[in-house]
Amino acid sequence: MAIDKDAVAALGERRLGPEHKALPPTAWGLTVRDFLATAPHLDEFETPVLTVDRTAVDANIAVMAEWARAAGVELAPHGKTTMSPQLWADQLAAGSWAITLATGWQAQLARSFGVSRILLANALVDPVGLHWVAAELAQDPEFEFLSWVDSVATVELMDRHLSTAPGTEKLTVLVELGGAHGRTGARSVDIALEIAAAVGRSARLRLGGVGGYEAALAHDRTPESLATVRGYLDELARLHREIAAAGGYSGAAVVTAGGSAYPELVVERLAGLANEAGAHAVATSVVLRSGAYITHDDGFYAGISPLTAAYTERPLRSAIHGWARTVSRPEPELALLDAGKRDLPFDEGLPVPQRIVGPAVESRELPSGALISKLNDQHAFLRLPGGTAADVPVGSVLRLGLSHPCTAFDKWRLIPVIDDADAERPRVIDLLHTFF
């Protein structure tokens, strides 16, 4: 799949300014390219700052691409995780089948960078967005767009809006299967079959497959959660087979599921659909939509992903870190850092203090039991049981492990890419633009 490499490269000509938090004032007025030519180091940036480790990202992209190929599934990474065309380009270059997105606007942003196949993991019912998609399909026959539907009412509404849209190309949709107490999606296979029949009657929609999101139904790796996920995926497979048996597909089909929590279960229950034979079988692509794998983390995904050191010889590595400075030591066992909710993710676990870093003080491990107990808007509360002011002095910088990439990237419009988060003095080798 393609992306406009020139549009991505042009990001290097954007000028830097005070709107880009953490950048040193000496960078203001320079282009990204000119600033990087000065060979900056991370300790020249202000704190707080979020970084992406280039070595870890490259390894994660390779691990996931090879894992998907070996499993016989396609990969359409969820681009909303990073909203970074530079990273999308890397994922597509590694063989990704498409970029997944969640809103019409996100899809428009991807198209502005030339992404040629977009999977919208959501129902597109906004008339402005539908008209835009119709126009894009009409003017570019190479562009592919797949959206979701999860009710007959959705089908009818999309059909009505598209009846006044330009072009005659039918919009490809996938029937979304959900589950009890989950998110969107038809709540049973029978209801999903009714939706598929409604798509078949539509003048402006074409049925292209089925999809869903299993991680909406579980949040850990207990036997009960794994059984719930397997049961849901089996129902998704049944839905696909029943649509195929009823002649509901006019061509090849897509079956898509998956985040970064249970990808091995998606492969276990769905990958076989790609090679299924029989009188009613259709050519099927099984597509995994994992997004968080690209940076992994030191929190939620480190604990739930099957692609960690506990399960595989080639694990994913955490590539995102926060760096915060101690600004106050008001009590012997308390330090206040200058990073808070505006800077770091906290919805899937608080940041984890990892070590004190130089050059202001000698790099060293933190005292045993050190933890961040809460975040304010611009402060982190670092608890130091039995600690003293000398353990974490005012002015010292801490590296923090983070949880949940999706709510880390959205707090930064420009993210320094470093060569190695474990280096004594990490070097900044790129700047990632994000669009949120």
Side-chain angles (χ1 to χ4, degrees), residues 321-373:
H321 298 90
W323 309 74
R325 195 177 307 272
T326 309
V327 295
S328 177
R329 290 301 315 269
E331 301 169 14
E333 297 188 348
L334 174 65
L336 277 299
L337 312 181
D338 62 359
K341 294 179 179 178
R342 307 253 173 142
D343 311 299
L344 305 176
F346 56 92
D347 59 312
E348 290 286 2
L350 292 170
V352 178
Q354 295 180 327
R355 61 188 176 97
I356 298 177
V357 298
V361 297
E362 181 182 355
S363 296
R364 61 179 184 267
E365 298 300 313
L366 288 161
S368 176
L371 62 86
I372 290 176
S373 61

Side-chain angles (χ1 to χ4, degrees), residues 209-260:
V210 300
Y213 181 50
E214 71 286 346
L217 306 175
H219 208 67
D220 55 40
R221 284 198 163 267
T222 61
E224 294 78 14
S225 290
L226 297 180
T228 295
V229 171
R230 286 189 173 100
Y232 166 76
L233 294 169
D234 288 345
E235 287 294 275
L236 189 62
R238 180 165 77 90
L239 172 62
H240 168 66
R241 292 188 180 106
E242 293 199 15
I243 291 173
Y249 297 127
S250 59
V254 168
V255 176
T256 177
S260 296

Side-chain angles (χ1 to χ4, degrees), residues 10-23:
L11 292 172
E13 301 305 321
R14 292 198 170 194
R15 293 204 173 270
L16 305 173
E19 67 272 21
H20 298 119
K21 77 179 170 180
L23 259 70

Side-chain angles (χ1 to χ4, degrees), residues 68 79-80 142 165 169 171 175 185 199 222 296 383 417 419 422:
K80 60 92 176 166
E142 300 300 315
E169 180 76 17
L171 179 62
V175 176
V199 174
T222 61
H296 197 51
R383 301 292 174 180
V417 179
D419 57 348
D422 292 326

Side-chain angles (χ1 to χ4, degrees), residues 255-330:
V255 176
T256 177
S260 296
Y262 307 105
E264 88 288 11
L265 299 187
V266 174
V267 168
E268 174 190 303
R269 308 316 259 202
L270 300 182
L273 296 174
N275 302 308
E276 207 161 53
H280 302 297
V282 299
T284 301
S285 297
V286 177
V287 179
L288 185 65
R289 303 190 314 278
S290 304
Y293 77 87
I294 190 168
T295 62
H296 197 51
D297 68 10
D298 284 306
F300 175 71
Y301 286 106
I304 199 170
S305 171
L307 299 179
T308 60
Y311 301 102
T312 179
E313 293 182 358
R314 291 195 63 198
L316 299 174
R317 298 165 48 189
S318 179
I320 51 171
H321 298 90
W323 309 74
R325 195 177 307 272
T326 309
V327 295
S328 177
R329 290 301 315 269

